[in-house]
Amino acid sequence: MGKRRSRSRSRSQLLNSLTKKQKKHLRDFGEEHPFYDRVSRKEAKPQTCQLSESLDTSSSESEAESEPEQVSGYNRLLATLKDVSKEDEEEEEEEDSVIDETEMNLEDGDSDISVEEETAVASTDVQKNAALPADPKGKDGHGPPGTSEESPEEFTDAKHESLFSLETNFLEEEREGNCSLKALQDPFAQHVNKELKEKEIQAVATNPKTTHQLKWPILGQLVFSSRFQQLETFKPPKDIDLKSLHLQKPLESTWIKTNSQFLSGPPNSSSPFTPLQKELFLIMNSYRDLFYPERTALKNGEEIRQVYCLHVINHVLKANAQVLANNSRCRSQKLGVGDDDDFRDQGLTRPKVLIVVPFREAALRVVQLFISLLEGDSKKKIIVSNKKRFNGEYGSDPEERPPNLKRPEDYEAVFVGNIDDHFRTGVAILQRSIRLYAPFYSSDILIASPLGLRTIIGGEGEKKRDFDFLSSIELLIIDQADIYLMQNWEHVLHLMNHMNLLPLDSHGVDFSRVRMWSLNNWSKYYRQTLLFGALQDAQINSVFNKYCINVQGQVAVRNVPMTGCISHVLVQLPHVFQRMEAENLASVIDARFNFFVNKILPQYRDAVMSHTLIYVPSYFDFVRLRNYFKKEDLNFTHICEYTQKSGVSRARHFFLQGEKQFLLLTERFHFYKRYTIKGIRNLIFYELPTYPHFYSEVCNMLQATTRGQEAAWTCTVLYSKYDAQRLAAVVGVERAAQMLQSKKNVHLFITGER
């Protein structure tokens, strides 16, 4: 004990003797500055120092001349960093917090801790926000609780630290796998090794966007487009072979069993995909951007989730295998001087994939698919760190759901399981191991909700904000994009504006291993974006057209609805569509309000037109109408997504009894609650619904109370030429074209006639 304490005391004194500048240099470069090297003036033969394998090969620079019987200060510093005790660690952390918050924190443990892990531990503010899923019920009401109270164990996994470090692992058994990575046929190698030229990047802003339409058997009408000069299109083959897809081991064997529930026949290698999955994966595997607006939770949601999880795991395994194989080559060749472009295999930060999902239940299913794809039916289980904790925080208790709650089938499919929308977590994958709750800068895959990302990205002027982990995202998946329209679309736009920016900190990266297109800040031209939603919407289309500039091109599914959901209205009801004129898109909001106040509302002020429901999709329009109704002292009540349960019951009762003539209802309330509003006799759609089937659902509410008033029912819909997509989804594309081109501003439809 005495020797250990004296040795620890000497190490502590050695660290204390360093200046603040020397500590910073030691933290950034792993060695003392050459200016401070103590070189002996005696001539002596160079001494060869045998370093352990766990040390970085770049330490070969420490071959300076020294006396044989003396140990250099550099080696003593390395030994101190490697074997520091817990007591010294606590003392150094206290001292560093007094000197400078940015000083290096020394962690106990062996030398297998990766550079990303050390960086993540040093930046405690970022790590505590990134590693833990945020709880929306925190003390402050809008931030993750306990960021300063949690123990370090919540953010580190010392037991498996070396197992998940890319820097200290090597690929020895599967060296032939690296050859397949460099094969010209592999789409992954073709994509990441593609070299753009400066003139091509400069021409992106000026080049016209070239497009080509093609019809596929299952996906339907596809639009291939590219901002670069070349535009390649292809047709799906009739049969598909798993070997031709260049799947990384063990995916060829595990995929068939994992996907067997969606296959019609018995699982076999001849039909590993469903027809939809086959066409989707061919586009994904070509590394083109994809927008698929026909993903529904009730029909094909899980089928699509399976295939994009396969693409994610395949991409991560290939990228990590390339890094590990190059680690082995570097160690065998002992490349310590200079750099070789053959070893450029990384980004500026480790996270490669970002999966954006709306609820914790979706994140749980994604992780379960990852485990199934890596494990399959093999007897040897893979290592999954923090699995029990993850299942507890992302799972749900079936007993919490009210037993008598009856809602439409699509509602049940969307709001199943844990529907908390504030979370984020990192996943590290290495061969047959998965680490959940990995710090962001030690993760390969990030799974988060838009709100969870928004709270860590922060805004202008905020002290605690970080978005460096988005700098090297190579694969972005935005699933169920339509739900974000019902949450907060601004969070999605905020995320896209911070994608693939140059990081503000180095985060311990080895720049000799970083790809040149990442160093040139061209990552956004190599990022593949997969966008899945349930509807064609102008805001979603805008994100795809503006932020997806992949060098491989873009593919969008553009099927037009032929019938429209108005055919699902069961009640006998006249639908009056009134077109309003607007000079431009920016003036639509004011034009709609003025048209409603001056043209529509006067027709309903009479007491005869009681029981009038006004359906308002936008919350901002709802607030504007509510303020106007209060100003005009109209007899009305209102329900929005923020209304308390007692207020909802009171408003529904007053409207049913006729005590309130008008009821203002927001679309978000209908999306999250799906209540049946009774007592409706007159219906006004202030704007066409975001979800087309909401139109028929609200219209069918009129039959909830039939008291012989069917002949007096009315329905009025406001639309403009900028609502072409929503109008086509309601009445069909042919009728929508006629209504937009007609000289008449009023069109009548009657449903429910026998």
Side-chain angles (χ1 to χ4, degrees):
M1 291 294 292
K3 292 182 178 180
R4 183 180 301 176
R5 287 188 176 181
S6 62
R7 188 165 56 249
S8 300
R9 191 178 299 109
S10 63
R11 294 171 186 156
S12 179
Q13 292 174 356
L14 181 60
L15 284 177
N16 293 338
S17 63
L18 296 176
T19 65
K20 178 180 175 181
K21 191 173 183 180
Q22 289 174 326
K23 282 186 178 182
K24 185 177 185 302
H25 191 278
L26 180 63
R27 179 191 64 189
D28 292 341
F29 301 99
E31 61 179 358
E32 283 188 286
H33 196 283
F35 179 81
Y36 300 104
D37 285 347
R38 302 180 182 87
V39 182
S40 174
R41 295 184 178 179
K42 296 181 180 180
E43 295 184 0
K45 296 182 179 180
Q47 181 182 8
T48 303
C49 181
Q50 189 68 27
L51 297 178
S52 62
E53 295 182 354
S54 61
L55 293 179
D56 192 359
T57 56
S58 62
S59 61
S60 59
E61 298 177 0
S62 62
E63 296 177 354
E65 294 182 358
S66 60
E67 293 184 0
E69 59 270 10
Q70 291 183 355
V71 180
S72 66
Y74 171 72
N75 288 330
R76 291 201 302 270
L77 283 175
L78 284 180
T80 306
L81 290 172
K82 180 178 178 182
D83 301 320
V84 63
S85 64
K86 292 185 178 180
E87 297 177 358
D88 294 336
E89 175 189 333
E90 294 176 358
E91 295 174 359
E92 289 159 8
E93 287 180 350
E94 292 177 0
E95 179 186 0
D96 291 340
S97 63
V98 175
I99 298 175
D100 191 347
E101 293 181 356
T102 61
E103 286 296 327
M104 176 177 59
N105 292 331
L106 297 179
E107 291 287 329
D108 61 341
D110 58 312
S111 60
D112 286 336
I113 298 179
S114 64
V115 178
E116 285 97 336
E117 298 287 351
E118 294 176 346
T119 307
V121 170
S123 54
T124 54
D125 291 338
V126 172
Q127 182 179 343
K128 291 180 180 180
N129 281 326
L132 280 183
D135 186 0
K137 299 180 181 179
K139 296 179 180 179
D140 56 357
H142 50 265
T147 54
S148 61
E149 299 175 358
E150 299 290 347
S151 60
E153 287 78 7
E154 297 292 333
F155 317 108
T156 58
D157 187 9
K159 184 178 180 181
H160 303 116
E161 200 74 62
S162 62
L163 178 65
F164 293 98
S165 171
L166 286 180
E167 286 74 18
T168 56
N169 278 270
F170 306 93
L171 192 65
E172 297 178 350
E173 299 178 357
E174 301 181 6
R175 285 193 178 182
E176 66 276 5
N178 188 40
C179 298
S180 63
L181 284 176
K182 293 189 175 181
L184 296 177
Q185 302 90 337
D186 190 354
F188 170 81
Q190 290 178 348
H191 180 61
V192 298
N193 296 332
K194 188 180 183 67
E195 294 184 3
L196 291 174
K197 298 180 180 179
E198 185 74 28
K199 59 181 181 180
E200 293 181 282
I201 298 297
Q202 295 175 355
V204 170
T206 58
N207 282 345
K209 192 172 185 179
T210 56
T211 60
H212 180 73
Q213 294 188 5
L214 200 65
K215 190 170 184 179
W216 282 23
I218 304 300
L219 293 179
Q221 195 72 28
L222 299 185
V223 177
F224 288 80
S225 60
S226 177
R227 294 178 184 271
F228 293 83
Q229 292 292 341
Q230 67 274 15
L231 176 61
E232 299 178 1
T233 61
F234 61 97
K235 296 182 180 180
K238 295 182 180 180
D239 299 325
I240 190 171
D241 184 14
L242 280 179
K243 295 182 179 179
S244 65
L245 298 176
H246 301 275
L247 295 180
Q248 191 78 355
K249 294 180 181 180
L251 297 179
E252 288 187 13
S253 59
T254 59
W255 167 251
I256 298 178
K257 181 180 180 181
T258 304
N259 196 48
S260 60
Q261 56 179 317
F262 299 103
L263 302 177
S264 56
N268 54 69
S269 58
S270 61
S271 59
F273 296 94
T274 65
L276 175 62
Q277 287 177 336
K278 181 183 73 172
E279 297 187 3
L280 287 176
F281 189 76
L282 285 174
I283 298 175
M284 294 178 188
N285 205 33
S286 67
Y287 281 90
R288 289 171 171 83
D289 296 329
L290 173 64
F291 175 36
Y292 182 71
E294 299 177 10
R295 183 245 192 249
T296 59
L298 192 59
K299 295 182 179 179
N300 56 13
E302 292 303 313
E303 189 178 352
I304 293 174
R305 200 196 315 271
Q306 293 263 359
V307 72
Y308 76 63
C309 284
L310 171 65
H311 182 53
V312 167
I313 291 295
N314 189 39
H315 179 85
V316 171
L317 289 180
K318 286 181 179 180
N320 287 354
Q322 190 178 34
V323 174
L324 298 180
N326 286 339
N327 289 348
S328 302
R329 293 173 59 198
C330 289
R331 183 176 65 167
S332 61
Q333 299 178 15
K334 296 182 180 180
L335 297 175
V337 181
D339 55 8
D340 193 342
D341 286 345
D342 292 340
F343 298 100
R344 294 194 178 274
D345 50 16
Q346 304 174 18
L348 290 167
T349 52
R350 181 172 172 179
K352 309 170 186 64
V353 180
L354 173 61
I355 303 177
V356 182
V357 288
F359 304 119
R360 285 180 183 253
E361 174 67 20
L364 176 66
R365 295 187 183 186
V366 167
V367 171
Q368 289 173 345
L369 279 174
F370 289 165
I371 297 174
S372 300
L373 288 171
L374 290 177
E375 199 169 62
D377 55 354
S378 59
K379 297 180 181 179
K380 187 178 179 181
K381 299 292 184 181
I382 64 174
I383 299 175
V384 183
S385 303
N386 303 318
K387 183 177 180 181
K388 183 177 180 181
R389 173 190 168 192
F390 183 82
N391 290 333
E393 295 184 358
Y394 283 74
S396 61
D397 187 1
E399 298 180 357
E400 295 179 356
R401 187 174 182 84
N404 298 326
L405 187 64
K406 294 182 179 180
R407 293 290 184 269
E409 291 183 356
D410 64 300
Y411 179 91
E412 299 285 352
V414 170
F415 295 98
V416 64
N418 190 335
I419 58 172
D420 179 22
D421 63 348
H422 193 179
F423 61 92
R424 53 184 177 263
T425 188
V427 181
I429 295 178
L430 197 64
Q431 294 173 329
R432 298 189 56 81
S433 306
I434 296 180
R435 179 187 181 190
L436 305 177
Y437 293 104
F440 269 26
Y441 292 99
S442 301
S443 303
D444 297 300
I445 304 171
L446 308 178
I447 308 174
S449 65
L451 179 59
L453 290 171
R454 179 64 177 83
T455 53
I456 190 173
I457 293 175
E460 294 292 338
E462 295 184 16
K463 293 183 179 179
K464 293 184 179 180
R465 57 179 312 212
D466 182 40
F467 47 86
D468 286 357
F469 55 86
L470 301 173
S471 62
S472 297
I473 295 296
E474 301 167 3
L475 179 56
L476 170 63
I477 297 176
I478 303 179
D479 198 8
Q480 296 175 274
D482 53 285
I483 296 182
Y484 309 137
L485 296 172
M486 300 292 109
Q487 293 178 345
N488 194 331
W489 189 249
E490 292 295 328
H491 296 337
V492 177
L493 299 179
H494 194 72
L495 167 65
M496 299 306 295
N497 287 327
H498 289 82
M499 289 294 300
N500 298 115
L501 302 178
L502 285 177
L504 303 178
D505 193 3
S506 63
H507 300 283
V509 66
D510 182 2
F511 288 99
S512 66
R513 299 284 294 272
V514 179
R515 299 186 184 96
M516 290 306 301
W517 50 261
S518 187
L519 291 174
N520 292 335
N521 196 23
W522 294 348
S523 297
K524 59 183 177 181
Y525 301 109
Y526 288 83
R527 185 193 74 234
Q528 182 188 24
T529 305
L530 305 178
L531 191 57
F532 302 99
L535 49 89
Q536 295 271 10
D537 187 84
Q539 298 181 82
I540 302 177
N541 291 337
S542 175
V543 166
F544 185 75
N545 295 330
K546 180 179 179 181
Y547 296 100
C548 298
I549 48 179
N550 187 353
V551 65
Q552 302 292 351
Q554 294 76 40
V555 181
V557 179
R558 301 295 187 191
N559 295 320
V560 294
M562 300 306 297
T563 56
C565 65
I566 195 172
S567 60
H568 299 152
V569 178
L570 305 177
V571 298
Q572 186 172 354
L573 180 67
H575 305 259
V576 179
F577 286 78
Q578 299 204 21
R579 187 178 66 197
M580 59 179 188
E581 300 297 335
E583 295 181 358
N584 50 56
L585 184 60
S587 63
V588 170
I589 297 176
D590 292 333
R592 181 180 291 110
F593 177 77
N594 295 328
F595 185 84
F596 174 80
V597 170
N598 299 324
K599 303 290 185 181
I600 305 299
L601 191 57
Q603 305 174 20
Y604 291 85
R605 284 180 178 260
D606 195 344
V608 178
M609 304 296 287
S610 61
H611 298 271
T612 299
L613 173 68
I614 304 176
Y615 183 91
V616 189
S618 171
Y619 180 77
F620 299 104
D621 290 335
F622 165 79
V623 173
R624 189 174 187 179
L625 288 176
R626 184 189 62 189
N627 294 340
Y628 177 81
F629 276 43
K630 287 182 178 179
K631 180 181 178 182
E632 295 295 321
D633 198 20
L634 296 177
N635 185 22
F636 82 105
T637 185
H638 56 85
I639 300 176
C640 70
E641 57 269 26
Y642 303 110
T643 306
Q644 297 293 334
K645 190 174 182 179
S646 58
V648 173
S649 300
R650 187 162 52 250
R652 294 175 67 188
H653 174 75
F654 289 157
F655 183 72
L656 175 62
Q657 299 299 325
E659 299 181 21
K660 299 293 183 180
Q661 182 179 354
F662 297 98
L663 171 61
L664 295 176
L665 181 73
T666 63
E667 185 175 62
R668 283 185 180 179
F669 175 82
H670 183 67
F671 174 80
Y672 284 107
K673 298 299 182 182
R674 294 292 185 91
Y675 286 178
T676 299
I677 307 298
K678 297 181 179 180
I680 305 175
R681 298 179 188 174
N682 304 290
L683 184 58
I684 300 177
F685 284 93
Y686 186 78
E687 185 182 0
L688 286 165
T690 304
Y691 287 90
H693 64 278
F694 283 2
Y695 183 88
S696 56
E697 279 188 13
V698 176
C699 289
N700 289 329
M701 287 182 185
L702 276 73
Q703 64 182 356
T705 53
T706 56
R707 299 176 182 176
Q709 302 290 336
E710 293 87 345
W713 288 347
T714 64
C715 178
T716 303
V717 184
L718 278 66
Y719 74 97
S720 70
K721 62 181 180 181
Y722 299 104
D723 300 323
Q725 283 185 331
R726 296 188 180 186
L727 184 63
V730 172
V731 302
V733 63
E734 294 182 359
R735 289 177 176 174
Q738 295 175 0
M739 295 168 62
L740 292 173
Q741 297 173 4
S742 175
K743 296 181 180 180
K744 298 180 180 179
N745 293 331
V746 180
H747 301 270
L748 175 64
F749 296 88
I750 299 179
T751 58
E753 288 186 324
R754 297 181 180 177

